[in-house]
Amino acid sequence: MPFLISRNNSARISNAQSQEGREFAEGSTSHTSRPRDHGNTLLSLGVLILELWFGQPLESQPSWEANFGPNGEETEFTKFNTAATWQRMVGDDGGPILHNITRRCVYGNFGLTTQSLENAELIKAVYENVVMELQRVCDGLF
């Protein structure tokens, strides 16, 4: 789900996003008020950052096939286990800032119990601990 952050770091939802959320809720067959879990989205962000930084796809990592199931195929845990192994193996080879960014994304470690990007606190934590930190890295490169 896209989100916008104002200059003062508070979360804002556009009218289109609000309408999109209402349409999703109305079309949903689930009758639960539990927020959606965006852990896979955060994991994918961490993987993307690792792939861009090191110039390698996740699937080329030595632990990729080692994390396949007994039938020799990818499981629901293959991506996470491979990303976690890769993130630990590179340590702070990309620097401590990049290490912290990818650790937070891969493990969903933002100091909150929710993984829902519909939660304003998580949005703020991702913005401060990922977006702004990536900006610091980029500022140091150029």
Side-chain angles (χ1 to χ4, degrees):
M1 169 180 238
F3 57 89
L4 300 173
I5 304 293
S6 68
R7 290 280 180 210
N8 67 3
N9 294 341
S10 64
R12 289 185 291 131
I13 299 177
S14 70
N15 285 339
Q17 288 171 310
S18 179
Q19 179 62 30
E20 180 182 284
R22 281 193 297 273
E23 290 170 359
F24 174 80
E26 290 168 2
S28 175
T29 57
S30 174
H31 298 306
T32 178
S33 62
R34 181 175 174 226
R36 293 189 309 182
D37 184 338
H38 291 94
N40 283 333
T41 302
L42 296 169
L43 171 61
S44 294
L45 178 58
V47 168
L48 177 63
I49 294 167
L50 285 165
E51 290 177 333
L52 290 171
W53 194 265
F54 293 101
Q56 302 170 7
L58 181 68
E59 296 81 4
S60 73
Q61 297 310 303
S63 63
W64 176 253
E65 288 185 11
N67 284 301
F68 281 6
N71 62 355
E73 294 187 17
E74 186 178 338
T75 71
E76 63 183 301
F77 304 109
T78 301
K79 184 176 180 180
F80 169 76
N81 289 335
T82 304
T85 300
W86 189 15
Q87 199 275 333
R88 281 191 311 269
M89 285 177 47
V90 296
D92 63 359
D93 287 354
I97 296 173
L98 185 67
H99 174 76
N100 285 330
I101 292 169
T102 57
R103 180 182 49 79
R104 288 182 185 279
C105 290
V106 169
Y107 292 99
N109 184 4
F110 291 93
L112 301 168
T113 57
T114 182
Q115 289 288 307
S116 173
L117 288 171
E118 295 167 357
N119 178 285
E121 288 181 72
L122 182 61
I123 292 170
K124 184 178 181 196
V126 170
Y127 180 77
E128 291 173 351
N129 296 293
V130 177
V131 177
M132 294 305 296
E133 292 299 300
L134 283 172
Q135 183 64 51
R136 277 184 49 200
V137 169
C138 289
D139 288 347
L141 294 175
F142 302 104

